[in-house]
Amino acid sequence: TFDHMSRALAGKMEDLRLTGERLATVLESMIEGVVAIDADQRILFVNDAARDLLKIHSPETTGRPLLEAARSRILHETALQALTEGEPCRSEFETTGPDRRFVAVYATTLPGETPPGVVLVLHDITELRRLENMRQEFVANVSHELKTPLSSIKAFTETLLRGALDDPTTRVNFLRRIDEQAQRLHELI
């Protein structure tokens, strides 16, 4: 009986080891950064993507405080909020240094009655922010470019309606300008 229990325990230990290795492989291959911390905000696990995003260059991070390793107040506060509230939370921050990145953080507590820790998932949203800024600049430029011919058309029309319609020379001149500005609008669109 003792030998049977010993073999069963060895089999379970091997299963746990293999499951742990698979999990570590999956987490390491993710493009999202993953950081697991305990209730004292000490690092339990950090994958390579998180090291890159947070600029963690030290190979030994296990057991170090999150704030010390990552140097991000917002990341620290997000983890603390998830720990104290026991609810998932989200935040964003910008990294420092020459290679600035925008990072979205999703914090979820580890299972347990009193949360034993938090898992932080980090998404690099730098490209999204860049595209958002380009869109805003594009909309502002288009808006400005469209306002100029519209303002001219409106001014010419108002002048014609206020009496210049009776003067044939002014009327033809203004109608030509309205036509030019309408053509400009058409080309812009």
Side-chain angles (χ1 to χ4, degrees):
T1 302
F2 184 73
D3 285 342
H4 177 67
M5 284 181 10
S6 177
R7 282 191 299 274
L9 183 59
K12 295 259 187 227
M13 292 296 287
E14 180 63 16
D15 288 346
L16 283 174
R17 187 187 65 76
L18 288 173
T19 301
E21 286 177 2
R22 284 186 206 119
L23 182 60
T25 301
V26 168
L27 291 172
E28 282 298 333
S29 66
M30 290 177 61
I31 59 171
E32 290 87 6
V34 178
V35 179
I37 60 170
D38 64 16
D40 296 323
Q41 289 203 23
R42 293 196 174 274
I43 296 175
L44 301 171
F45 173 84
V46 59
N47 71 353
D48 289 340
R51 286 179 189 280
D52 184 47
L53 277 173
L54 299 173
K55 298 178 178 80
I56 299 174
H57 303 296
S58 173
E60 265 313 306
T61 54
T62 303
R64 287 180 60 197
L66 177 65
L67 187 59
E68 177 187 305
R71 305 245 184 238
S72 170
R73 181 183 52 78
I74 294 173
L75 186 63
H76 167 75
E77 289 171 357
T78 304
L80 185 61
Q81 180 183 351
L83 275 170
T84 56
E85 295 177 5
E87 295 289 324
C89 57
R90 181 186 189 284
S91 66
E92 293 180 7
F93 67 94
E94 184 177 1
T95 63
T96 57
D99 184 28
R100 289 182 177 230
R101 296 254 180 237
F102 290 95
V103 180
V105 181
Y106 300 91
T108 306
T109 56
L110 292 169
E113 181 131 347
T114 306
V118 172
V119 173
L120 302 162
V121 179
L122 313 168
H123 297 275
D124 184 352
I125 58 170
T126 305
E127 184 65 12
L128 182 65
R129 285 283 186 257
R130 187 184 70 77
L131 292 172
E132 200 173 276
N133 288 338
M134 282 178 57
R135 182 190 58 80
Q136 288 174 347
E137 288 175 18
F138 175 76
V139 168
N141 288 337
V142 166
S143 176
H144 175 72
E145 289 296 322
L146 291 175
K147 281 182 183 177
T148 304
L150 281 174
S151 297
S152 296
I153 290 171
K154 185 167 175 53
F156 292 135
T157 305
E158 286 175 357
T159 305
L160 284 171
L161 291 173
R162 289 194 180 138
L165 196 57
D166 298 332
D167 181 5
T169 309
T170 305
R171 179 178 59 218
V172 170
N173 188 22
F174 277 24
L175 287 172
R176 282 191 181 125
R177 289 190 177 184
I178 289 171
D179 185 52
E180 288 170 6
Q181 294 303 320
Q183 183 59 35
R184 182 173 173 208
L185 265 177
H186 181 71
E187 289 171 7
L188 283 172
I189 291 170

